[in-house]
Amino acid sequence: MGGGAATLALLALAAAVAGLFGGPVLALAVFAAGVLLTYAFHLRNVQRLAEWTHEPVGTPVPSARGIWGRAFSDLQRRSRLAYDVRERLSASLERFREASQAMPDGTLYLSAGDRIEWMNHKAEQHFGLDAVRDRGVAVTKLVRQPEFVRFLHAGDYADPLMLQSDRRPGLTMMIQIVPFGDEQKMIVSRDISQLERLETMRRDFVGNVSHEMRTPLTVVIGFLETLVDGLEDFRPDEVKRYLRLALEQSVRMETLIEDLLTLSALETGAPAPAEERVAVGPLVQDVAEDARLLSAGRHEVGLDIATGDEDAFLFGSAKELRSAFTNLASNAVRYTPAGGKIRLSWRRIDAGAEFAVEDDGIGVEPQHIHRLTERFYRVDRGRSRETGGTGLGLAIVKHILSRHDAELRIESVYGRGSRFSACFPAARLVPPAPRRTRK
Ligand code: ADP
């Protein structure tokens, strides 16, 4: 039986008892008073319920007695359930947004009509948008680059779009579009500027190598064709001269290939050995001797090893260090006119140790200095070629030094001379053996 019927029965009983003792008027009065009280009780609870619906979500439902008590506790249970589901949903939405924010790529969600719904910081940067301000705006009103608009409207998203940003110079993006749900789309943008730069470098490198090889090869082919066409027209000494010139060019190509192989081995090889001890004093003496041979008496080549530093050892590769030091010394010889002075030195410094080559040669103008270690970069192409340069020497030196945690420093005054120094950190120096104390 419902609570309403029980209340009615109770009222009828109270009215009947009152009727027995006081007559029908009293019975009616008791019954009316009961109905009024019951009505007030229900009205009060309806009012509390109405007030509760205006409270913030999660506010506990009011407590009550009787039928309202049961109804309220049922409501309380349902409201808690709904609240929990909502909390869980908003927590997972928040986690999803956090994950999207942390992504290294730009993510932009579009709703129907390609209107912006949400985007992460990367997408804001890539497209020059503002997640809050631009919400609800059609993306093509803000990103107007024709290639992008065409791509979005074409509807064929099998291949990504490569886009050079017109807002941020130097930014190249790979853009992918993934349609989902009901007319929704996800746009993923990736910054591929670095890859593009590497690709350009690779293309330039292949172009440079081909050019460097083609010049001597053209000369060799020219000589050979001339000889093949009329060997009998030339005197033996002329033939010999041609052959010698062809040989020179072939040696040039061989040197270039050797330098390229050295560079490639340095780039792909394992790090320089950290356990091999290199006796730098004798190594530097050999390098100075080679420089004297190359100079053939045209320069004064000196060597300066600070007292006490003759037996300083470095951890590293003797072969590589020799190649780097020889490159620096031979450059000094090649870029110093006859009669000039070249000084090699090896000494410990506060930060570790330094090998330096100083010359009073042609020097380098300041605007070229920071580019000297680029592959094939030469200040004076003609002079470099004449002296057998490949344009790869300093690139090799830089590589070798960085494999030894060392740094190449270049100081130069145009027309006065240069100083190229290799600075090794203290960690690369073999610590001196502890002195034995006599007992
Ligand atoms: P290269 O084979 O042309 O000498 P490097 O990489 O060894 O190539 O050097 C790059 C450029 O740096 C040279 O072409 C030259 O212009 C400049 N250079 C290097 N060493 C010296 C130096 N000691 N004095 C003046 N210029 C130098």
Side-chain angles (χ1 to χ4, degrees):
M1 193 168 64
T7 312
L8 212 61
L10 215 63
L11 280 180
L13 188 67
V17 172
L20 270 181
F21 291 102
V25 177
L26 187 64
L28 206 65
V30 168
F31 188 75
V35 169
L36 268 178
L37 274 175
T38 312
Y39 178 71
F41 168 72
H42 288 307
L43 199 66
R44 167 85 190 112
N45 281 316
V46 168
Q47 192 185 3
R48 290 170 73 199
L49 182 63
E51 280 166 6
W52 174 78
T53 57
H54 288 100
E55 294 293 333
V57 177
T59 307
V61 179
S63 56
R65 288 211 239 143
I67 187 172
W68 281 101
R70 285 199 298 282
F72 279 163
S73 71
D74 201 32
L75 205 59
Q76 173 74 38
R77 198 168 45 79
R78 280 164 192 261
S79 134
R80 174 155 296 280
L81 266 178
Y83 182 75
D84 286 352
V85 168
R86 224 176 103 149
E87 282 291 289
R88 271 205 300 278
L89 272 177
S90 71
S92 45
L93 187 68
E94 198 44 46
R95 271 204 305 280
F96 167 75
R97 287 193 171 175
E98 274 170 17
S100 295
Q101 281 297 12
M103 270 194 17
D105 296 337
T107 331
L108 199 156
Y109 290 96
L110 302 181
S111 55
D114 293 335
R115 289 177 189 284
I116 295 171
E117 202 171 289
W118 187 84
M119 73 185 93
N120 66 0
H121 297 320
K122 268 277 173 290
E124 285 182 304
Q125 289 167 10
H126 287 171
F127 295 105
L129 298 173
D130 184 310
V132 179
R133 185 195 58 206
D134 300 331
R135 204 170 159 196
V137 182
V139 70
T140 45
K141 286 221 168 92
L142 302 169
V143 184
R144 291 167 179 261
Q145 273 184 269
E147 309 95 295
F148 175 78
V149 176
R150 262 198 308 276
F151 182 55
L152 183 70
H153 290 161
D156 175 11
Y157 308 127
D159 295 320
L161 167 76
M162 303 299 161
L163 188 72
Q164 305 266 359
S165 167
D166 61 357
R167 296 193 182 194
R168 279 180 53 197
L171 170 69
T172 309
M173 291 178 284
M174 183 174 80
I175 294 180
Q176 280 173 298
I177 298 185
V178 187
F180 68 100
D182 202 8
E183 277 191 73
Q184 283 153 297
K185 294 185 187 88
M186 177 172 78
I187 300 184
V188 180
S189 57
R190 176 168 293 181
D191 182 349
I192 54 160
S193 318
Q194 182 66 11
L195 277 177
E196 274 279 299
R197 271 194 287 278
L198 285 176
E199 182 54 24
T200 312
M201 266 172 69
R202 192 191 64 78
R203 271 199 297 269
D204 288 354
F205 183 67
V206 172
N208 275 324
V209 171
S210 317
H211 177 77
E212 295 288 332
M213 294 294 277
R214 203 177 54 199
T215 318
L217 205 57
T218 313
V219 178
V220 173
I221 292 173
F223 287 145
L224 292 179
E225 274 175 355
T226 317
L227 292 178
V228 167
D229 287 349
L231 186 62
E232 50 290 343
D233 302 340
F234 295 99
R235 293 192 315 270
D237 63 316
E238 280 175 326
V239 174
K240 209 166 177 183
R241 195 164 61 86
Y242 278 144
L243 287 179
R244 190 170 298 123
L245 287 171
L247 183 67
E248 260 174 32
Q249 296 302 320
S250 308
V251 169
R252 210 176 119 187
M253 283 189 282
E254 192 188 28
T255 317
L256 177 65
I257 291 171
E258 270 166 13
D259 275 2
L260 284 170
L261 287 175
T262 308
L263 251 186
S264 138
L266 287 171
E267 274 170 354
T268 53
E275 28 341 288
E276 188 183 325
R277 287 156 173 257
V278 183
V280 186
L283 188 144
V284 171
Q285 274 168 9
D286 286 354
V287 172
E289 208 41 57
D290 289 349
R292 284 190 194 107
L293 282 175
L294 185 69
S295 156
R298 286 174 295 132
H299 309 90
E300 193 183 302
V301 180
L303 171 62
D304 190 0
I305 300 183
T307 331
D309 293 342
E310 308 90 343
D311 55 354
F313 284 80
L314 272 181
F315 285 119
S317 152
K319 189 168 153 247
E320 288 183 15
L321 290 174
R322 191 190 175 108
S323 156
F325 294 176
T326 307
N327 253 305
L328 295 180
S330 82
N331 275 356
V333 172
R334 290 167 47 231
Y335 297 106
T336 302
K341 280 198 187 112
I342 295 165
R343 208 176 114 249
L344 277 61
S345 61
W346 166 248
R347 64 191 174 110
R348 279 181 225 255
I349 52 174
D350 287 346
E354 178 202 70
F355 167 77
V357 179
E358 233 172 309
D359 64 55
D360 57 3
I362 61 172
V364 183
E365 286 172 281
Q367 71 270 28
H368 297 292
I369 292 182
H370 71 283
R371 298 198 59 190
L372 295 186
T373 53
E374 283 176 26
R375 298 156 175 191
F376 297 114
Y377 190 86
R378 291 132 153 166
V379 177
D380 178 349
R381 209 160 262 277
R383 185 169 186 127
S384 160
R385 289 238 175 85
E386 265 167 39
T387 54
T390 59
L392 295 173
L394 290 181
I396 293 176
V397 172
K398 192 179 168 191
H399 253 293
I400 293 179
L401 294 187
S402 81
R403 281 161 64 82
H404 286 80
D405 312 313
E407 193 194 337
L408 175 67
R409 293 200 188 134
I410 307 175
E411 295 146 78
S412 191
V413 179
Y414 183 54
R416 302 276 291 274
S418 318
R419 185 174 197 274
F420 288 74
S421 51
C423 304
F424 295 86
R428 279 274 166 184
L429 274 174
V430 179
R435 279 204 196 148
R436 293 218 182 123
T437 44
R438 276 195 212 147
K439 287 204 177 150

